[in-house]
Amino acid sequence: MKEQKEMRTTRFINKGLTAILFTVLSLNLAFGQEVVDKIVAKVDNHIILKSEIEQAYAGFLSSGEAANFTGDARCYILEQIIETKLMLAMSELDSVDVDAGRVDYELQMRMQNIIAQVGSERAIQEAYGKSVDQLMEELRPNIEEQLKIGAQEENILNTVTVTPAEIRKFFNNIPKDSLPLFNTEFEIGIIIKKPEPNEAEVQKAKDQLMKIRERAMKGENFEVLAIENSQGPTGPNGGNLGMAKRGQFDPAYEAGALALKPGEISMPIVSSFGIHLIQLIEKRGNEFNSRHILITPKPTEQDVQKTSNLLDSLRTLILSDSITFAATAKQYSDDEGTKVNGGFLSGQFGTNRIPSDALDPTMFFIIDEMKEGDISKPEIIDMPDGSKAVQIIYFKSKVGPHRANMTDDYEKLKAATLGMKKAQKRTEYIKEKMKEVYVMVDPEFNRCGITNN
């Protein structure tokens, strides 16, 4: 449940943050132009600018949604923003707090995605005249707000449940000729195992780090050594990780760093990311600042084959019903996205069924040659970071194209019923709080029929 809650909150943040980033960056495009702006609404202490409405309206038009929209789009946008600001105001009244580490995590993830899309940090600097650090600081308050809003909505809606009777009533109220058609769906499980480097490779990495440590102890600059030798993403930045709260990093790394005095350099420390040399810069209350040099031992071909043999043995046990696929995935799989779900790919509405058009083409062609109940032979695959891993695939079941029904689509109907009840509760909550929170709307938007106090 915790993982699902965090995933929902993250998706909420990503949606809102895309618009926020557009706003922050587009303001830099008006070089030499006089921008006329005004406050068009206020919710408690939070203002809404006309420029926000216009930028959201431009995005609405470019998204293609306007083609099927018949109302006043600007009124619709203003109403949505007012509801968001009201949620923010209520989160503050209810003292909803967000963890600084979570803010940092969301900020880092979003900025990494932006850099990947733009091409490089330098491209961002050239296009907008701001460094990545400057943009991150501008975005930080918005991310904090989005997290608070997400937490407030979660607090309001997390108690909503549905009964089987409500699900059946929802289904029966759908006209038979309006029941949705579903494409072919598959239930597929995967186990991905990353080969462990052997002891010789681990020792080789430790020896390399000890030589680097000797150079640092003799006076060479640690940051320069990190730039030259570290294999981690912070290497080009001198291995600097910045201030962090306890609990943000790998436990082994954190324990090693906190055991040092400022300026000290650790012996090689093994974490889930590889092997580190750590230099503590400072401690400040519950926070610490450190830099590191990371070397990740590489598995040999023999290590990869050993992993392949392991998965082949597990495959045999599963097929003989000695163990279940789900239990095996939870114990052995290194794929964090699926192991918590027993190795199964997650579809919409909390089901394990994946529509054929949503399957990765490579996966589709693999299972196209399998029968239901088959488990593929171990296959060596390339991971996104360039490393090797071994994978087996379980083709559990297939449901052909069909019209929605209570037998095949119960979980989807349950999710739809739950979504409807949550939407109703959210609407009731907004209506109630609009009477309690100060809301002002400029006369320009009187046509929208939004409450003015």
Side-chain angles (χ1 to χ4, degrees):
M1 287 294 294
K2 181 180 178 183
E3 291 84 356
Q4 291 175 347
K5 178 177 177 180
E6 290 184 353
M7 287 172 65
R8 287 196 299 270
T9 305
T10 299
R11 287 196 295 269
F12 178 81
I13 292 165
N14 288 344
K15 277 184 68 177
L17 198 51
T18 299
I20 292 165
L21 179 71
F22 175 80
T23 301
V24 172
L25 298 185
S26 59
L27 291 176
N28 293 293
L29 302 179
F31 298 119
Q33 298 180 18
E34 182 179 355
V35 179
V36 179
D37 210 349
K38 70 173 185 177
I39 297 172
V40 296
K42 188 175 182 183
V43 182
D44 197 31
N45 294 320
H46 304 284
I47 63 172
I48 301 170
L49 299 175
K50 188 171 184 178
S51 60
E52 292 181 66
I53 307 297
E54 294 306 315
Q55 286 160 357
Y57 180 68
F60 178 78
L61 293 178
S62 64
S63 70
E65 294 180 58
N68 299 316
F69 190 82
T70 56
D72 187 323
R74 286 185 174 85
C75 284
Y76 170 75
I77 289 167
L78 176 59
E79 185 175 355
Q80 297 300 306
I81 297 176
I82 285 176
E83 289 186 5
T84 300
K85 297 295 186 184
L86 186 142
M87 282 289 184
L88 176 61
M90 291 309 304
S91 75
E92 293 168 347
L93 289 172
D94 292 343
S95 301
V96 173
D97 195 20
V98 294
D99 182 67
R102 181 70 191 280
V103 176
D104 289 338
Y105 172 80
E106 297 291 349
L107 187 57
Q108 291 285 349
M109 292 300 101
R110 175 53 53 175
M111 192 53 65
Q112 286 179 17
N113 290 337
I114 293 166
I115 292 170
Q117 292 172 12
V118 175
S120 67
E121 293 187 20
R122 183 175 180 181
I124 291 177
Q125 175 83 44
E126 292 175 351
Y128 304 110
K130 295 184 179 183
S131 68
V132 167
D133 288 341
Q134 288 174 318
L135 286 177
M136 288 175 70
E137 284 309 304
E138 289 185 24
L139 288 173
R140 184 179 295 278
N142 300 107
I143 294 177
E144 290 177 351
E145 288 188 0
Q146 292 294 324
L147 279 168
K148 285 184 178 180
I149 294 166
Q152 183 70 8
E153 293 213 9
E154 189 69 33
N155 291 339
I156 297 164
L157 304 177
N158 64 4
T159 58
V160 179
T161 58
V162 292
T163 65
E166 288 174 316
I167 298 168
R168 182 166 294 279
K169 181 180 178 181
F170 173 82
F171 175 74
N172 290 336
N173 284 338
I174 303 173
K176 299 307 176 188
D177 57 355
S178 298
L179 289 170
L181 286 169
F182 293 114
N183 291 330
T184 300
E185 297 175 317
F186 299 91
E187 195 172 1
I188 300 169
I190 59 172
I191 295 176
I192 297 175
K193 187 70 179 169
K194 298 176 183 177
E196 294 287 340
N198 59 61
E199 283 300 320
E201 293 299 314
V202 172
Q203 190 58 51
K204 188 187 299 183
K206 289 180 178 179
D207 292 342
Q208 184 180 349
L209 283 170
M210 284 301 296
K211 291 178 181 178
I212 295 171
R213 185 178 188 276
E214 289 175 11
R215 292 170 60 185
M217 297 299 288
K218 290 179 180 178
E220 291 193 47
N221 187 284
F222 191 95
E223 291 177 279
V224 173
L225 290 170
I227 293 170
E228 293 175 350
N229 298 282
S230 184
Q231 297 171 354
T234 61
N237 189 38
N240 287 289
L241 292 169
M243 292 298 297
K245 286 187 176 181
R246 293 172 185 261
Q248 285 185 235
F249 292 150
D250 180 281
Y253 179 93
E254 189 169 288
L258 292 174
L260 300 171
K261 296 178 182 177
E264 280 188 334
I265 299 172
S266 72
M267 299 293 281
I269 291 175
V270 179
S271 80
S272 59
F273 296 95
I275 307 176
H276 312 255
L277 283 184
I278 304 172
Q279 184 178 49
L280 182 67
I281 301 171
E282 65 171 319
K283 293 179 186 176
R284 191 189 304 162
N286 199 37
E287 298 180 318
F288 67 98
N289 190 359
S290 64
R291 58 175 69 101
H292 71 138
I293 297 172
L294 173 68
I295 292 180
T296 305
K298 298 293 188 292
T300 64
E301 289 186 11
Q302 290 78 10
D303 297 327
V304 175
Q305 187 57 51
K306 181 180 178 181
T307 303
S308 182
N309 294 340
L310 170 64
L311 287 191
D312 194 42
S313 299
L314 294 172
R315 173 180 178 270
T316 301
L317 291 172
I318 297 168
L319 290 173
S320 66
D321 292 329
S322 297
I323 52 176
T324 65
F325 183 89
T328 305
K330 288 179 180 179
Q331 181 176 352
Y332 291 96
S333 183
D334 291 323
D335 185 53
E336 298 298 330
T338 59
K339 69 180 298 181
V340 295
N341 194 36
F344 288 98
L345 303 177
S346 296
Q348 290 181 305
F349 315 113
T351 72
N352 289 341
R353 289 185 185 162
I354 310 295
S356 56
D357 56 0
L359 270 182
D360 177 85
T362 303
M363 179 73 73
F364 179 82
F365 287 120
I366 291 174
I367 64 170
D368 193 46
E369 298 180 357
M370 298 171 65
K371 294 183 295 186
E372 291 182 66
D374 281 354
I375 300 177
S376 66
K377 284 280 191 179
E379 176 189 15
I380 298 171
I381 60 172
D382 294 316
M383 300 296 285
D385 62 1
S387 63
K388 300 290 184 183
V390 184
Q391 171 183 270
I392 57 175
I393 299 171
Y394 176 31
F395 180 11
K396 183 176 181 180
S397 66
K398 173 183 176 180
V399 178
H402 64 282
R403 197 172 288 277
N405 61 79
M406 285 289 290
T407 302
D408 294 322
D409 307 298
Y410 182 83
E411 291 299 327
K412 295 172 189 166
L413 293 167
K414 178 181 178 181
T417 309
L418 182 62
M420 181 184 69
K421 282 193 70 175
K422 285 188 173 183
Q424 289 172 344
K425 182 165 183 177
R426 185 182 186 277
T427 299
E428 291 167 1
Y429 179 85
I430 292 291
K431 186 176 180 179
E432 176 189 344
K433 298 306 175 184
M434 283 283 282
K435 299 174 184 176
E436 300 177 14
V437 175
Y438 172 78
V439 179
M440 179 280 291
V441 180
D442 188 271
E444 178 185 349
F445 288 91
N446 279 346
R447 68 184 190 279
C448 299
I450 300 171
T451 301
N452 284 268
N453 295 324

